[in-house]
Amino acid sequence: MADPARGRICFQTVPGYQPPEWPGGRGAQQMHLDVLVADLEEATRSVLGWRAPLLTDVLDPGAKQWRIFADPAGHPFCLVTVPE
C-alpha cells in the first residue's frame, strides 16, 4: 500500500514461516498497526476484498470503533475510527 502523503508499508513472505496465533497461543506478535479510517464499513469492505481475514469486531457504544484483521503472514492489525 502506498500513499505519497503518508508513506509506504510493505510485506514480504518468508518460506516456512509459522504465523502467531491470536489471541494468545504460540508465537510472538512482531508488530501491530492501527490504521485510522474515516468510514469503518467502507474500509472493512476494502480489506475483506483483499482477503484479509476478520479476527474480531470491537464496537464500543461511543465513537471509538475498530475491527481486527490479519495480514498475509497472520499478524493482527486494526482498522480504527478514533486515533489513540
Side-chain angles (χ1 to χ4, degrees):
M1 297 186 306
D3 178 339
R6 296 188 180 122
R8 181 177 74 183
I9 201 164
C10 300
F11 301 95
Q12 67 184 47
T13 60
V14 176
Y17 173 76
Q18 294 294 314
E21 291 179 0
W22 188 92
R26 71 165 162 52
Q29 179 174 279
Q30 297 173 351
M31 66 170 191
H32 181 88
L33 296 175
D34 285 347
V35 179
L36 182 62
V37 299
D39 184 324
L40 185 61
E41 295 306 320
E42 179 181 337
T44 294
R45 285 190 296 276
S46 291
V47 170
L48 290 173
W50 301 330
R51 299 202 167 120
L54 176 65
L55 299 179
T56 189
D57 276 336
V58 181
L59 301 174
D60 289 346
K64 183 178 179 179
Q65 296 182 336
W66 69 94
R67 289 197 171 113
I68 305 170
F69 297 86
D71 72 12
H75 300 106
F77 70 93
C78 297
L79 298 180
V80 300
T81 59
V82 176
E84 300 265 21

